[in-house]
Every structure is written in structure tokens, then in C-alpha cells.
Amino acid sequence: MATKDRRRAERFNFGMPITVCWTSGPEQRKAQTVTQDVSAGGLYFYLPEAIPDGTTVEIEMMLPTEVSLGSAVKVRCHGRIQRCTLKPGESAGMATMIEKYEFLSANEDIA
């Protein structure tokens, strides 16, 4: 029996630096990493620690000219961890759904 692919948008294997921000209890957390793949509706990345499924995240990145088809563009995404895969002794892989995004002006800093 074939498994159904749940993806709604084509994914691109693209390593792009990102900053991920989330809340863990009373603490605001921030980490920098690189994407494993990216689509219009989400992205996948690894971190040394797990972010629980359902956690709201804010992700900031600079879309390179290969993606923006013009000059590089700063983007802030708001989304949610859909799935976190944690294997003992390895980094946690996180599938993240993007719920909304905004383009930042040139004078707004990436987190």
C-alpha cells in the first residue's frame, strides 16, 4: 500500500541560515541553525534540543537572490512545530508549518 505524501507544496533541499525563537515555560529561547529543506508552507531544520510539537515559533531568515529572484529579502515567519523527531545522541529534527510571514524593511534587524 502506497503512503500518501502530506506535503502541499514542493520542497527544496536548501541550507539557509535561520534564527528560531520560542517560549519554553517562562523562558524566551533563541537558536541559530540551517534549514534542511524549505517550501512555501514550511521548513525542516535540526537543533541540539527538542521543541515540543505544537509550540509556536518565530523564524527569521534572509531569502537569497536565488529564491527571491531579485535582491536578498529579510523575512519573519510565524509558525508551529508540526513534528519533532528526537533520536538519542543526535540533534532533534523539526518539521515546522508556516502560518504567516512578513517581509522586513531593510532597517529591521534579523533576531
Side-chain angles (χ1 to χ4, degrees):
M1 180 176 189
T3 60
K4 183 178 177 184
D5 191 350
R6 295 178 297 189
R7 297 177 181 159
R8 290 177 279 170
E10 182 178 2
R11 291 208 176 253
F12 300 95
N13 292 331
F14 195 73
M16 185 169 33
I18 60 173
T19 300
V20 183
C21 300
W22 73 100
T23 302
S24 178
E27 189 178 358
Q28 290 292 113
R29 306 295 307 271
K30 182 191 289 190
Q32 295 183 345
T33 189
V34 176
T35 60
Q36 295 301 300
D37 62 51
V38 178
S39 77
L43 43 95
Y44 193 85
F45 58 88
Y46 291 97
L47 286 178
E49 64 181 292
I51 300 174
D53 292 0
T55 300
T56 300
V57 293
E58 181 178 283
I59 299 170
E60 294 187 354
M61 66 187 100
M62 181 74 77
L63 292 179
T65 56
E66 298 87 5
V67 175
S68 67
L69 303 176
S71 60
V73 177
K74 294 178 187 179
V75 179
R76 178 179 297 133
C77 304
H78 299 272
R80 187 168 302 283
I81 301 297
Q82 289 294 105
R83 181 181 70 256
C84 177
T85 306
L86 183 59
K87 295 180 182 174
E90 296 182 18
S91 296
M94 276 158 281
T96 307
M97 180 178 70
I98 296 172
E99 296 172 336
K100 73 175 192 171
Y101 60 91
E102 59 187 310
F103 295 102
L104 304 176
S105 65
N107 60 358
E108 290 183 80
D109 289 330
I110 296 285

